[in-house]
Amino acid sequence: MNRVVVVTGASAGIGEAIAVELGRRGDSLVLAARTADALERVASQVGTRTQVVTADVTRRADVERIRDEAIRAFGHVDVWINNAGKGIVRPVLELTDDDLDEMIDVNVKSALYGMQAIAPHFMERGTGHIVNISSFLARVPVAPPRSAYSAAKAALNTLTANLRVDLQRTHPGIHVTVVMPGLVTTDFARHARGSVSATPAGPGSPMKPQTPGEVATIVADLLDRPVAEVYTNPASRALASHYFDDVERFEIESRGSG
Ligand SMILES: NC(=O)c1ccc[n+]([C@@H]2O[C@H](COP(=O)([O-])OP(=O)(O)OC[C@H]3O[C@@H](n4cnc5c(N)ncnc54)[C@H](OP(=O)(O)O)[C@@H]3O)[C@@H](O)[C@H]2O)c1
């Protein structure tokens, strides 16, 4: 393909893997994150034309600058992937105002700024694809210490669904997708607010961790065949159905498998 794709949070983890996979498939890339040297390292692995933008996506002006620099470099944007995000390790009763604010800023407002920055460009062109990287925890809050993170991703799922329905009415050529990974082997757990170490899957967890490359392949595939939403982990759909079938039973069973 020869699309122009913006990826936020592209300096590491899933965003880095998405950039490398899309570059391998022939797309031109705009890579955004806060750490310039890490972005340059990722850009050097991408074989296609790449523009690096150092930006903090919790600031609306920075997100608008990503859009402006992308259009200046490539003339237009085909796909915008809101991937930057951050977790937390803190139970509900210990959450501070700052905890909640940061989770909303980095996981919800960042993507809202992205959607609002790029949607007018897509509407003008009548085509485009917005992809928001959420989490399985947005659907099934099975990890209580992720508390405000899961809540923020649930808000992101809702905003994504609402935007999709709005745009489908007036601009059917614009796609809006939410991606819900399960456990992925990045430094996400180590970067989480309040984290002291990485938190691996518990013993007996039905969800086998995925590599960032596996998630990137799924994201790259859905750019060719857009869908409303996707769980990247094969175990997630059945777990989500089981959860919504009977939340109380699910929670009792989860305690039992402790
Ligand atoms: N790993 C998992 O198990 C998992 C599971 C479900 C969903 N997810 C979601 O997948 C996405 C990527 O996570 P990951 O696992 O790749 O995490 P990661 O390895 O910690 O990478 C996070 C990326 O986001 C960037 N970022 C963080 N805050 C930012 C900010 N304010 N402005 C700009 N960039 C920012 C980081 O770059 P800089 O530090 O350079 O800014 C980095 O490139 C997140 O939305 C996460 O919630 C991850």
Side-chain angles (χ1 to χ4, degrees):
M1 300 299 287
N2 191 11
R3 295 164 296 217
V4 177
V5 183
V6 173
V7 185
T8 72
S11 63
I14 294 170
E16 171 178 1
I18 290 172
V20 170
E21 178 60 23
L22 292 178
R24 200 182 62 74
R25 295 184 186 205
D27 291 326
S28 299
L29 293 159
V30 179
L31 307 179
R34 293 166 301 181
T35 317
D37 55 348
L39 282 174
E40 294 294 352
R41 182 185 56 76
V42 174
S44 71
Q45 300 173 59
V46 175
T48 46
R49 227 182 116 202
T50 303
Q51 174 83 14
V52 159
V53 184
T54 307
D56 180 343
V57 293
T58 65
R59 298 187 191 140
R60 188 185 282 276
D62 278 26
V63 176
E64 290 173 349
R65 185 166 49 78
I66 298 170
R67 175 204 57 204
D68 294 345
E69 290 196 24
I71 293 173
R72 194 174 307 122
F74 295 104
H76 72 281
V77 172
D78 295 295
V79 181
W80 183 287
I81 304 180
N82 289 305
N83 164 76
K86 181 175 177 175
I88 192 169
V89 188
R90 192 148 297 150
V92 172
L93 293 182
E94 293 174 20
L95 285 172
T96 65
D97 288 358
D98 285 348
D99 291 336
L100 196 58
D101 288 347
E102 187 182 9
M103 288 300 101
I104 296 292
D105 285 349
V106 74
N107 295 301
V108 186
K109 285 189 177 173
S110 61
L112 177 67
Y113 298 154
M115 292 189 281
Q116 292 180 337
I118 204 62
H121 177 69
F122 288 168
M123 290 158 84
E124 200 177 306
R125 302 183 80 225
T127 182
H129 194 166
I130 293 170
V131 178
N132 290 335
I133 308 295
S134 180
S135 169
F136 175 68
L137 294 176
R139 257 311 133 69
V140 183
V142 279
R146 289 275 184 248
S147 63
Y149 168 77
S150 306
K153 291 294 197 182
L156 175 61
N157 276 24
T158 300
L159 297 183
T160 310
N162 290 166
L163 177 67
R164 180 170 50 246
V165 171
D166 281 347
L167 288 177
Q168 273 303 306
R169 287 199 192 104
T170 53
H171 297 80
I174 303 177
H175 303 285
V176 183
T177 299
V178 71
V179 177
M180 292 171 282
L183 282 166
V184 187
T185 53
T186 67
D187 283 336
F188 173 81
R190 198 168 56 77
H191 294 155
R193 189 176 170 97
S195 167
V196 282
S197 65
T199 8
S205 166
M207 197 175 282
K208 185 169 163 277
Q210 289 181 298
T211 65
E214 287 173 305
V215 174
T217 299
I218 291 166
V219 171
D221 286 348
L222 71 82
L223 300 191
D224 297 336
R225 287 175 297 282
V227 291
E229 56 176 51
V230 65
Y231 297 108
T232 66
N233 195 294
S236 293
R237 183 165 294 284
L239 272 174
S241 299
H242 193 48
Y243 180 77
F244 286 108
D245 198 35
D246 187 335
V247 170
E248 193 175 345
R249 184 189 64 198
F250 186 100
E251 290 176 353
I252 290 167
E253 287 173 0
S254 303
R255 277 206 301 274
S257 69

